[in-house]
Amino acid sequence: MRMHNVTPDRREFICGLLGSLASAGIADQAFAQNSHPMGPSQPFSFEGLIERAKQRSAEPYKQPYRPAPEIVSKIDYATHGKIVFKADQALNANGPGAYPIEFFHLGMYFPKKVSINLIESETSQEILFSADYFDMPKDSVARGLPSDAGFAGFRLHESRRRKDWKHQDWMVFLGASYFRSIGSLNQYGLSARGIAVDVSVPTPEEFPDFVEFYIDPARKEGDPTFVYALLDGPSISGAYKFAVIRTDGAVMDVDARLFARRPIQQLGIAPLTSMFWYGEYNRMRLIDWRPEVHDSDGIALWTGKGERIWRPLNNPRRVVTSSFQDTNPLGFGLLQRDRNIENYLDGVNYDRRPSLWVQPLHDWGKGSVQLVEIPTQDEIHDNIVAFWVPEQAIEAGTSLNFRYRLHWRAEEPFPAEQLADVFATRIGRGGEPGQDHTATPDAVKFVVEFEGGALAGLTTEAPPQGTASTSRGMLTDVIVEPIPRTERWRARFDLKGADGVDPVELRLFLHIGEQAFSETWAFQFWPDQPAG
């Protein structure tokens, strides 16, 4: 079993880190608010970075620099929490740029040096590390790091015009090729990453690193911050251009130029990484007191043919990869649709976790959106991964270019206005209330609730119909009815005779005649896994 965390820091470490560190940064001559040592000026262009990535892919892979591993391995969560960047060192703390920038110290979970550079016009300078940028205990083991230790990553803070900017960041690049944003509801949750390599194939998964960053800060609020990154791993190198804009959430335009160093079985483009422990339809009794625990509750797809699909997430018994074949997809994303705090009831704000939508900015051709679900027994690991896999074989020397836009928001950015969304999925024993359920011991009832779209104007005199299908077993007739005292409708049916250990693929949608009134609900049901 593979655990897909943002390196081991994924939950407890990074969440605590983002809440405890003070903001910081370094300025060059163009942002001369402080005096900090900088490396020599070097020419910079995205075209030059692309060429460097291409050249790297033709050379043997070299591991990133790990400064003083005997020291860094001792900088655990508690030790790292006492290493605080000095707030008055923040890049753009006093202008002229809009968003102050902080840099992260190395630690047990971030042991590799990442070169961070500032761009001015067509040149760049590396920001040189110094322990003087940090407040730390006099006896901290981190004081023994060498002068070339470097930083682990960086984060963008809210506008310096806000009084709380020192305590509120909105975008983080930290760990391997991971990055994430707080979205519209000011809460971190799922992550994105630059690339995914062999997530669910027999060979070990590979985690390429962003080894160099080049930052061109936004001059005023609403302007993009440009972040350029050099990616390198055993199988692939790449050059990335991120145009990051703070809106009501966050929007990122990504231009990825990729060069394969060796053959890759499964190359994941625009990968999203999240956590799903349990929801209303698969809660495990006596495991945890909360009604639901997840960063995301489903994957939404907008296919190249225009179909809208909602697939609730699972915590399966074994690693499962689901493939949705497509040509030129219009978008996909991992969403957190359930915003009712009563369904979580804890203090970590699962109801405010962002949704993340991938919008291709050109034709991606043939391939598949793949969803990987990994068993987990708790909430500290990311066990959900979604990405696009191109149909073409990735051989040594293959070059690829993918452009896409990431939307970090509360809701899906391009809803189908006339189609109802899936509101909830519920599972129980088959049959009807008051009946002898021993007569249908193998029947399982599914209830799918829909909300919004054209459903609002329908009545029981002209209700929608439901069409359902299954990959195994038999389905009873679908009953569609309004839910009393709500504006929702539900479709319910029983599944019979679907024995075995393999999953059953179910599909359902609402319609009147040939006109669809809902997105397609697609569900993977495990007959041998109790619903709750």
Side-chain angles (χ1 to χ4, degrees), residues 282 284 314-318 320 427 442 444 446 472 495 498-504 524-532:
N282 70 337
M284 294 165 281
N314 275 320
N315 179 7
R317 292 268 178 98
R318 61 177 185 266
V320 175
I427 304 176
D442 65 337
V444 180
F446 293 85
R472 194 169 75 251
L495 171 66
D499 299 326
V501 297
D502 293 327
V504 179
Q524 192 174 79
F525 172 63
W526 293 77
D528 65 334
Q529 186 165 343

Side-chain angles (χ1 to χ4, degrees), residues 140-155:
S140 175
V141 66
R143 291 187 178 276
L145 285 176
S147 59
D148 67 344
F151 303 101
F154 67 95
R155 64 181 180 177

Side-chain angles (χ1 to χ4, degrees), residues 46-333:
F46 186 40
E47 292 73 20
L49 193 66
I50 294 170
E51 184 59 29
R52 288 184 57 210
K54 183 177 181 180
Q55 291 175 358
R56 279 201 176 211
S57 70
E59 301 169 352
Y61 172 67
K62 296 180 180 179
Q63 283 277 353
Y65 176 42
R66 294 172 179 257
E70 72 283 359
I71 295 176
V72 174
S73 63
K74 298 176 182 178
I75 305 176
D76 57 12
Y77 171 74
T79 303
H80 201 287
K82 297 176 183 178
I83 303 173
V84 180
F85 216 110
K86 298 175 181 177
D88 60 0
Q89 296 291 320
L91 173 66
N92 294 329
N94 299 304
Y99 305 105
I101 300 175
E102 166 188 294
F103 301 89
F104 289 104
H105 196 281
L106 295 175
M108 176 188 294
Y109 303 113
F110 314 109
K112 303 172 186 177
K113 174 185 176 178
V114 177
S115 172
I116 300 178
N117 304 264
L118 276 177
I119 297 173
E120 171 62 19
S121 298
E122 296 180 355
T123 63
S124 67
Q125 289 180 278
E126 183 178 2
I127 302 164
L128 301 180
F129 171 81
S130 172
D132 293 338
Y133 301 149
F134 299 91
D135 282 323
M136 65 181 77
K138 292 183 178 180
D139 60 350
S140 175
V141 66
R143 291 187 178 276
L145 285 176
S147 59
D148 67 344
F151 303 101
F154 67 95
R155 64 181 180 177
L156 303 178
H157 280 252
E158 297 286 16
S159 168
R160 60 185 174 81
R161 300 181 187 278
R162 286 179 42 163
K163 293 182 179 180
D164 66 342
W165 72 260
K166 295 180 180 180
H167 309 289
Q168 185 60 69
D169 52 304
W170 59 276
M171 179 66 67
V172 168
F173 287 80
L174 183 65
S177 69
Y178 287 84
F179 54 95
R180 60 181 183 162
S181 172
I182 62 174
S184 305
L185 301 176
N186 300 325
Q187 178 64 52
Y188 284 107
L190 80 170
S191 300
R193 47 176 154 157
I195 202 71
V197 178
D198 293 342
V199 173
S200 60
V201 300
T203 57
E205 181 175 0
E206 179 181 317
F207 291 89
D209 297 286
F210 284 143
V211 294
E212 297 177 11
F213 287 110
Y214 297 82
I215 306 173
D216 187 359
R219 269 48 178 181
K220 62 179 185 295
E221 293 177 45
D223 281 356
T225 295
F226 290 98
V227 177
Y228 302 85
L230 180 65
L231 177 133
D232 203 16
S235 298
I236 195 167
S237 293
Y240 287 72
K241 178 181 179 180
F242 300 92
V244 186
I245 301 176
R246 182 65 162 134
T247 60
D248 61 328
V251 175
M252 302 177 67
D253 280 7
V254 184
D255 187 347
R257 311 296 181 94
L258 303 167
F259 305 93
R261 180 177 273 117
R262 64 189 186 190
I264 299 173
Q265 294 186 61
Q266 183 191 56
L267 182 66
I269 304 299
L272 316 179
T273 301
S274 193
M275 180 277 295
F276 180 87
W277 190 9
Y278 59 86
E280 74 267 7
Y281 49 86
N282 70 337
R283 182 184 177 191
M284 294 165 281
R285 290 195 188 100
L286 306 180
I287 295 297
D288 194 89
W289 61 271
R290 294 164 292 180
E292 301 182 39
V293 178
H294 48 75
D295 280 342
S296 308
D297 50 10
I299 182 172
L301 302 106
W302 188 6
T303 72
K305 293 183 178 180
E307 184 182 13
R308 303 287 189 135
I309 300 173
W310 174 253
R311 161 70 151 75
L313 297 176
N314 275 320
N315 179 7
R317 292 268 178 98
R318 61 177 185 266
V319 177
V320 175
T321 300
S322 301
S323 295
F324 302 86
Q325 302 295 322
D326 204 357
T327 300
N328 298 327
L330 298 175
F332 67 93

Side-chain angles (χ1 to χ4, degrees), residues 375-490:
T376 187
Q377 295 299 318
D378 54 43
E379 65 198 282
I380 66 171
H381 300 293
D382 276 351
N383 65 317
I384 303 296
V385 192
F387 44 79
W388 172 258
V389 178
E391 184 181 70
Q392 74 179 94
I394 310 300
E395 305 292 347
T398 299
S399 61
L400 300 161
N401 177 205
F402 284 89
R403 293 182 293 108
Y404 52 95
R405 182 168 295 154
L406 297 176
H407 300 262
W408 304 79
R409 297 165 51 98
E411 313 297 339
E412 183 179 337
F414 304 106
E417 299 294 344
Q418 296 303 309
L419 296 182
D421 291 334
V422 175
F423 179 83
T425 300
R426 308 187 192 280
I427 304 176
R429 62 183 182 179
E432 296 299 324
Q435 291 184 347
D436 181 4
H437 291 280
T438 61
T440 55
D442 65 337
V444 180
K445 184 174 296 298
F446 293 85
V447 179
V448 184
E449 298 180 11
F450 295 89
E451 180 181 60
L455 287 179
L458 299 182
T459 66
T460 54
E461 285 72 28
Q465 294 86 46
T467 294
S469 63
T470 179
S471 63
R472 194 169 75 251
M474 298 179 296
L475 301 180
T476 62
D477 292 337
V478 180
I479 297 174
V480 181
E481 57 193 4
I483 301 177
R485 295 183 295 279
T486 74
E487 295 183 353
R488 304 195 300 275
W489 289 69
R490 64 183 167 221

Side-chain angles (χ1 to χ4, degrees), residues 325-347:
Q325 302 295 322
D326 204 357
T327 300
N328 298 327
L330 298 175
F332 67 93
L334 292 176
L335 310 184
Q336 182 78 315
R337 280 189 173 174
D338 192 338
R339 298 294 179 188
N340 185 354
I341 193 173
E342 296 293 332
N343 291 335
Y344 303 101
L345 297 176
D346 64 8

